[in-house]
Every structure is written in C-alpha cells, then in structure tokens.
Amino acid sequence: MRLTYFSGATLSNDLDSSSTDPITISSADIFPSSGYIVLDDETIRYSAKSENTLTGITRGSLNTTPDSHATDTNVYILANNGTNSIVRRNSCQRNRQNHGLDSYA
C-alpha cells in the first residue's frame, strides 16, 4: 500500500507511457526537491524540480508499470519520498488549506 496525498496539482500536458522527458505540472510549490509522484496507478521518481517542472524522471518506479496519462490528471505525492522522511498529516492539512483545498477531517 502506498501512502499518498493530493498535491493540488495536475499534469500540464499529456504524458506518453515511454516518455522520460521532464514533467510539467500546474504547481510544484509544495513538492520536495526530489521524490516520487503517483499518476493513476504509476509511481514516478524525479530527482529535481525547477519551478513547475519535475526532472530526472524514472518511470514505473517501485514495481509499477509505465502508462499514458492525460492532461489534467491529478498528481499525488508519495508520502515516503525514499529518504525515510514521512510527511506529517498536519503538514498536508496546512498545504491543502494554503492552496484552497478541502481540509482533512
């Protein structure tokens, strides 16, 4: 089971299943400088971010299968970013509130 949370961001363009090009999203403000995102059933590792672009892409990470994803697909952040750093729930709540999203109960 993967622990993820909705980042409030969406894909800015379609993503082909074989692409390892940088991924542009609507907002990367709350994203760690490197980590994992989840699009539908695929986990993708990125090694850096620049503004709203995630770079150093590794598709099909953590035993998932690369797949195509459409523009406006919701982008989820994997809570454990591979460095044993777990995102705290209150941090998620604060980020969601800062972006005008519903808060967790």
Side-chain angles (χ1 to χ4, degrees):
M1 183 170 132
R2 298 175 297 185
L3 178 59
T4 62
Y5 66 96
F6 180 51
S7 65
T10 58
L11 285 179
S12 294
N13 46 23
D14 290 346
L15 185 61
D16 182 272
S17 63
S18 63
S19 175
T20 56
D21 292 339
I23 297 173
T24 303
I25 59 178
S26 57
S27 175
D29 292 343
I30 67 169
F31 284 70
S33 58
S34 64
Y36 294 87
I37 60 170
V38 177
L39 304 174
D40 301 318
D41 292 326
E42 180 185 1
T43 301
I44 300 171
R45 182 182 183 281
Y46 65 96
S47 61
K49 73 171 185 173
S50 176
E51 306 217 355
N52 292 334
T53 302
L54 308 176
T55 61
I57 302 301
T58 303
R59 301 290 303 274
S61 295
L62 304 177
N63 297 317
T64 61
T65 303
D67 200 0
S68 297
H69 307 283
T71 300
D72 295 328
T73 295
N74 291 332
V75 180
Y76 293 83
I77 298 173
L78 189 63
N80 182 335
N81 66 10
T83 61
N84 296 324
S85 174
I86 302 296
V87 176
R88 289 182 165 70
R89 186 172 183 210
N90 62 355
S91 175
C92 295
Q93 287 175 313
R94 186 172 42 258
N95 287 330
R96 291 175 60 80
Q97 289 168 350
N98 288 343
H99 293 307
L101 302 169
D102 297 330
S103 62
Y104 288 104

